[in-house]
Amino acid sequence: MLIQRDTAARILDARASTPSAAPAPRRLRRGALLHLPERCDHLALRVAEGCLRVCHPLLDGRRQITDFLFAGDRIGLMEVRSHNGSIEAVTPATMVAFAAEGHDPEEWPADDLYRMRLGALQSRLFMLGHKNAREKLAAFLLEMSERLAQGEDGFRLPMSRYDIADYLCVSPETVCRNFTQMVADGLLMLPDSQTVRILHRASLEFIGR
Amino acid sequence: MLIQRDTAARILDARASTPSAAPAPRRLRRGALLHLPERCDHLALRVAEGCLRVCHPLLDGRRQITDFLFAGDRIGLMEVRSHNGSIEAVTPATMVAFAAEGHDPEEWPADDLYRMRLGALQSRLFMLGHKNAREKLAAFLLEMSERLAQGEDGFRLPMSRYDIADYLCVSPETVCRNFTQMVADGLLMLPDSQTVRILHRASLEFIGR
DNA sequence: CGTTATCTTGATAAGTCTCAATGCAAGTGG
DNA sequence: CCACTTGCATTGAGACTTATCAAGATAACG
């Protein structure tokens, strides 16, 4: 059940006329694509539940994942659209479209949206530029452990090894090998391939920072 | 001759009181560092002449160059500052500080500043993630040939091989080797190490895109 | 229960980094 | 003016990392 064309725009209109009416949440099935309306300069998305990925197709057929989105995360739709991006559900996801860029400054000042995104991109620049696969994976796991924040007994990665690979810009095999290596080194436990329990956070931080 | 502390802020104040008064241009010697005031949330920089680099020190002692700035380019100071960045003159440079983020919307809407920067960072993400050294260099040369735009008889790179290396996130030796290779392949001429004449732009584009 | 997708591991090849040496050009001080 | 220094550019040799190709193991699913 995709968000239909211009649904977000209608949500925006509804909010403009009756500011107190909360926009209806939308659901995406696993693997489904979020439709980005043609005119979405002032629209943003807030994830209520689930996990999404921001994908960009590359000329050679591969894809790059520029971000994962979890509950509470927000992103400007125009920014994704203007770089040939798409937003896909990694797990069943619920989200809300809302107005940004001054149309709804109380809820989300446009500056903040830009600033946060710039910060995230900068971090990824440093990561992709100068970290090797092991360091990338360590940084990724630390980032996920913070953003997922599911308590001390480990966390579940909702995305596949392929997704992780496209996020870190390495091959899926390399992701696997480094998972295995980290387990062998006693940094992690992997009760199953999705569940991660960090055993030596300090070491991971030493590697990943 | 660095821009003194809070000079930019004073320029801002001057503009606010007398909008028609143009702020005084500032000059940097080759290699000099532009001072970034502590409070620069609403300040931006426009390059009048010369070339600057936006540098970020990394934990392992290396540096990353996130952008080169040429005449006409603008950049928000706070964005650089918030990522431990510095702005250094590659060549003697003249620049003007001005207000952004709504304080001076006519001159430069803050949104545009953010959007352009986001776009530039996205492009660099794609480059760093999935291009090899040869492709990076091809893309770099095409970018420089557009931004420098000095006519058909080639252009002069104002920055060193080390700067290029830190921009592309490869070693300076690799930059050299790929220059040499491109010359051997007949894609380029290098009358001297700074001057580039592109012989087969279509081939470069095929490699770099 | 078979089919498919995902995950993992191995072997090999390719690309890049590091270390080292040399060349070159500009600037400096005697 | 000339030796000298210094920084940048280039090239080579070797080590290391990662991608690619291939195959098997595991789990999800109709």
Side-chain angles (χ1 to χ4, degrees):
Chain A
M1 188 185 299
L2 301 180
I3 286 191
Q4 298 302 316
R5 191 179 181 293
D6 290 329
T7 291
R10 277 188 266 112
I11 290 172
L12 166 57
D13 292 338
R15 285 191 65 80
S17 54
T18 57
S20 59
R26 288 283 161 172
R27 308 212 85 251
L28 285 188
R29 281 196 298 263
R30 180 185 156 95
L33 208 75
L34 175 69
H35 179 266
L36 301 176
E38 304 219 357
R39 311 286 303 162
C40 56
D41 295 47
H42 304 287
L43 290 179
L45 185 81
R46 181 181 59 235
V47 179
E49 195 188 357
C51 172
L52 303 145
R53 60 183 173 233
V54 182
C55 298
H56 298 257
L58 302 179
L59 293 179
D60 60 2
R62 291 183 290 191
R63 66 173 181 170
Q64 182 147 354
I65 294 179
T66 55
D67 208 358
F68 292 107
L69 304 173
F70 302 111
D73 291 339
R74 304 167 195 237
I75 190 171
L77 298 190
M78 189 53 192
E79 186 221 322
V80 175
R81 191 176 163 71
S82 64
H83 298 287
N84 282 320
S86 62
I87 299 180
E88 302 169 18
V90 173
T91 68
T94 312
M95 73 214 68
V96 181
F98 65 97
E101 296 213 14
H103 289 72
D104 196 349
E106 226 60 83
E107 169 144 38
W108 198 261
D111 276 5
D112 289 357
L113 214 56
Y114 279 123
R115 244 192 293 266
M116 289 186 53
R117 191 70 177 154
L118 269 181
L121 281 184
Q122 281 277 8
S123 303
R124 282 176 61 57
L125 257 204
F126 297 148
M127 182 170 88
L128 295 184
H130 288 285
K131 284 187 168 67
N132 64 24
R134 184 177 174 81
E135 294 162 346
K136 285 178 183 176
L137 185 58
F140 171 77
L141 290 173
L142 290 170
E143 182 194 345
M144 288 302 118
S145 104
E146 283 175 22
R147 293 177 68 179
L148 292 169
Q150 295 164 345
E152 276 310 309
D153 57 324
F155 54 94
R156 271 187 76 78
L157 294 173
M159 71 291 288
S160 73
R161 297 287 189 261
Y162 294 85
D163 288 337
I164 298 174
D166 289 341
Y167 182 67
L168 301 181
C169 298
V170 296
S171 70
E173 293 94 332
T174 295
V175 173
C176 261
R177 279 185 250 269
N178 280 280
F179 263 120
T180 304
Q181 188 60 49
M182 285 180 176
V183 170
D185 294 344
L187 300 177
L188 303 177
M189 279 182 55
L190 289 177
D192 64 275
S193 67
Q194 306 267 113
T195 306
V196 178
R197 183 186 307 225
I198 294 176
L199 298 180
H200 284 295
R201 180 172 294 267
S203 301
L204 265 194
E205 283 169 353
F206 181 78
I207 296 171
R209 301 273 178 228
Chain B
M1 187 184 299
L2 300 181
I3 287 191
Q4 298 303 317
R5 190 180 181 295
D6 290 329
T7 291
R10 276 188 267 111
I11 290 171
L12 167 57
D13 292 338
R15 285 191 64 80
S17 52
T18 58
S20 57
R26 290 281 161 173
R27 307 212 87 250
L28 285 189
R29 280 197 299 263
R30 181 185 156 94
L33 208 75
L34 174 69
H35 179 265
L36 301 176
E38 302 220 358
R39 310 286 303 163
C40 56
D41 295 45
H42 303 290
L43 290 179
L45 184 81
R46 181 182 58 237
V47 179
E49 194 188 358
C51 172
L52 303 145
R53 58 181 175 237
V54 182
C55 297
H56 299 257
L58 302 178
L59 294 179
D60 59 3
R62 291 182 291 190
R63 69 174 180 168
Q64 181 146 356
I65 294 179
T66 55
D67 207 357
F68 292 107
L69 304 174
F70 302 110
D73 291 339
R74 304 167 196 235
I75 190 170
L77 298 189
M78 189 52 192
E79 185 222 323
V80 174
R81 192 174 162 67
S82 65
H83 296 288
N84 282 321
S86 62
I87 300 180
E88 301 168 19
V90 173
T91 68
T94 312
M95 72 215 69
V96 181
F98 65 97
E101 296 212 15
H103 290 71
D104 196 349
E106 225 61 81
E107 171 145 37
W108 198 261
D111 276 6
D112 288 357
L113 215 56
Y114 279 123
R115 244 193 292 267
M116 289 186 53
R117 190 71 178 153
L118 270 180
L121 282 184
Q122 280 277 7
S123 302
R124 283 177 59 58
L125 257 205
F126 297 147
M127 181 171 88
L128 295 184
H130 288 285
K131 283 186 168 67
N132 64 24
R134 184 176 175 82
E135 295 162 346
K136 286 177 181 176
L137 186 57
F140 171 77
L141 290 174
L142 290 169
E143 182 195 343
M144 288 302 116
S145 103
E146 283 176 20
R147 292 177 69 180
L148 292 169
Q150 296 164 344
E152 276 309 308
D153 56 325
F155 54 94
R156 271 186 77 80
L157 295 173
M159 70 293 286
S160 73
R161 298 286 189 260
Y162 293 84
D163 287 337
I164 298 172
D166 290 341
Y167 182 67
L168 301 180
C169 298
V170 296
S171 69
E173 293 94 333
T174 296
V175 173
C176 262
R177 279 186 249 270
N178 280 280
F179 263 120
T180 303
Q181 189 60 48
M182 285 181 176
V183 171
D185 293 345
L187 300 178
L188 302 178
M189 278 182 54
L190 289 178
D192 63 275
S193 66
Q194 305 267 114
T195 306
V196 178
R197 183 187 307 225
I198 295 177
L199 298 180
H200 284 295
R201 180 172 294 267
S203 301
L204 265 194
E205 284 169 352
F206 181 78
I207 295 171
R209 301 273 177 229

